């Protein structure tokens, strides 16, 4: 009881600052949060038969994996404001993932070290994927520890009923996110093979049986993926020669990691980058802490050689397998099929260290390792607050345009963006928030143009318009004149073909060449102007 109380106190100390940012900072938003809200709203309105929505959108004729999060949001929107619903999802995907990892530690190890596992669970839960607003994947990630933890408790007595329960959890995970379900299934197989206890063959067969419904769903969905016309093959970004050790070394040293919220070289609340900050980031503390704890753990396991601790080594194998895939695996299997595959492997690989490590070892290495993980979680919370305050300034400025956009309008947005200290840009999909509850159609709706999500455009021409706006409306002011000119040409082509489908144009940022392009159809004088945001009505 005392151990659980201390673990709860530690969890509260580390979680409360983040929750204070989520609920206390007015416009703290994730990058994809607004897009999820908009498409969840559309889903609900389609079910109601709202003619303002039915005329432009429809539901796909097949069940897609990325639907659990949007179904939850659609339900929340029926009785909550959009901001409250989004904050609940941010809270659920943070607290839910961290809490499920602490529960997994208790399920595997009992009370041993549970309180000191909390810092690792907290810092892993505040990942780049969380700040991106990948709600569907993170809901599946919450089911990852639950499914593996139940399997672990049942591994010696996998009855038919328990196999069905595992299968049902995998199906629910599938409808959260395909990759999360695949990694959960892979985790079960690795554990079944790596666990050294007697009855391995029976355990592997029973575990394989639990994967059959997921396998059937995956095979059916593979046909949908192939129907997109985009080849399904692995891609390694920035790696011209996969057989070059030098290129691999550069890739491993320079690539951003899943825990990194700032761009490399930046530090919370410091405006200018510095080389030293490249080493003072949460992942550096996490790697150091894990290395110390791993050394203490392996030494303790070697001394004890007991069956209970030996069986836990399977979790170490799983952690290393997933982390290796995160370091050396492909970035994606085609952009149209989703990004961030390596980061997802790495996130769940780090999560698997939670039930494996010996946090309460008496060695100095273990104690320093725990303190290092505490430092990492506090630094990550500071990074979250830094982003929250920056988001509040930019998003608050943008949302002042809401009252001037109107209702029942067709809205396009173009943004001239400057470099940011953060890897996440809250403005990317923010305009979709202007379509929730207003009857507005927001053309920058990348989800409706992707087969990965349940909502789609009704007409092919609208799909092309939405896809092209989403692909060309973000202009990089820091790029070369040639690249910026190419971006402007892309936007000019969209306006030349589709300007009649746009009632309102929202412009963020300023560039004279961009204003010249927009002026032809939307005039020189904005209907609203405040700082970096301007609203133009079609002539």
């Amino acid at each position: 009881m005392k151990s659980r109380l201390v673990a709860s106190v530690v969890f509260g100390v580390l979680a409360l600052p983040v929750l204070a940012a989520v609920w206390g900072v007015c416009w703290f938003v994730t990058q994809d949060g607004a897009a999820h809200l908009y498409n969840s709203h559309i889903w609900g309105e389609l079910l109601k038969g709202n003619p303002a929505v039915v005329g432009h959108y429809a539901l796909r004729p097949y069940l897609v994996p990325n639907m659990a999060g949007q179904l939850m949001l659609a339900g929340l929107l029926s009785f909550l404001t959009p901001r409250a619903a989004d904050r609940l999802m941010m809270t659920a995907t943070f607290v839910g993932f961290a809490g499920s990892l602490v529960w997994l530690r208790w399920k595997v190890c009992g009370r041993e070290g549970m309180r000191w596992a909390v810092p690792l669970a907290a810092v892993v839960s505040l990942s780049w994927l969380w700040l991106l607003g990948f709600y569907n994947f993170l809901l599946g990630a919450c089911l990852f520890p639950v499914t593996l933890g139940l399997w672990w408790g049942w591994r010696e007595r996998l009855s038919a009923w328990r196999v069905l329960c595992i299968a049902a959890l995998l199906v629910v995970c599938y409808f959260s996110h395909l990759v999360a379900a695949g990694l959960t299934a892979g985790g079960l197989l690795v554990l079944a093979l790596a666990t050294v206890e007697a009855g391995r063959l029976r355990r592997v067969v029973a575990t394989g049986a639990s994967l059959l419904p997921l396998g059937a769903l995956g095979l059916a969905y593979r046909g949908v993926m192939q129907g997109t016309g985009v080849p399904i093959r692995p891609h390694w970004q920035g790696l011209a020669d996969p057989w070059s050790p030098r290129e691999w070394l550069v890739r491993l040293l320079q690539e951003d990691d899943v825990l990194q919220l700032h761009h490399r070289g930046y530090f919370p609340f410091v405006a200018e980058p510095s080389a030293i900050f490249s080493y003072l980031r949460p992942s550096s503390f996490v790697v150091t802490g894990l290395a110390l704890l791993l050394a203490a753990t392996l030494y303790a396991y070697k001394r004890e050689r007991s069956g209970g601790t030996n069986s836990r080594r399977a979790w170490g194998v799983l952690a290393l397998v997933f982390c290796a895939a995160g370091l050396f695996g492909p970035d994606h299997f085609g952009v149209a099929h989703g990004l961030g595959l390596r980061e997802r492997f790495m996130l769940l690989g780090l999560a698997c260290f939670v039930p494996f490590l010996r946090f309460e070892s008496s060695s100095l290495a273990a104690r320093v390792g725990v303190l290092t993980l505490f430092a990492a979680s506090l630094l990550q919370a500071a990074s979250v607050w830094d982003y929250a305050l920056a988001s509040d300034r930019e998003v608050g400025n943008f949302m002042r345009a809401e009252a001037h956009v109107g209702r029942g309008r067709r809205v396009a947005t173009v943004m001239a963006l400057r470099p940011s200290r953060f890897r996440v840009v809250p403005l990317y999909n923010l305009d979709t928030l202007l379509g929730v509850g207003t009857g507005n159609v927001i053309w920058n709706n990348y989800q409706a143009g992707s087969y990965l999500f349940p909502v789609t455009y009704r007409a092919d021409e609208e799909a092309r318009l939405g896809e092209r706006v989403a692909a060309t409306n973000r202009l990089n002011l820091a790029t070369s004149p040639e690249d910026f000119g190419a971006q402007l040409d892309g936007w000019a082509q969209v306006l030349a073909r589709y300007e009649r489908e746009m009632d309102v144009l929202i412009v963020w940022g300023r560039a004279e060449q961009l204003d010249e392009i927009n002026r032809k159809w939307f005039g020189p004088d904005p209907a609203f102007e405040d700082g970096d945001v301007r609203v133009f009505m079609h002539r």
Side-chain angles (χ1 to χ4, degrees), residues 21 25 27-33 90 130-133 261-262 268-269 380-395 420-428:
V25 179
W27 288 111
F28 177 17
V29 299
T30 59
Q31 182 169 299
D32 277 11
M90 293 174 69
W130 177 71
L131 209 56
L132 279 172
L261 305 186
H262 289 85
F269 305 106
Q380 195 74 324
S383 298
V384 169
W385 261 98
D386 189 19
Y387 171 85
L389 296 176
S391 170
D392 188 51
R393 289 191 295 270
E394 289 192 340
V395 174
S420 169
R421 295 183 295 123
F422 304 97
R423 295 177 64 200
V424 172
V425 182
L427 295 174
Y428 267 11

Side-chain angles (χ1 to χ4, degrees), residues 503-518:
D503 303 317
V504 180
L505 176 65
I506 304 174
V507 180
W508 174 270
R510 297 177 184 274
E512 182 57 36
Q513 308 98 304
L514 176 62
D515 290 343
E516 289 179 6
I517 294 171
N518 296 334

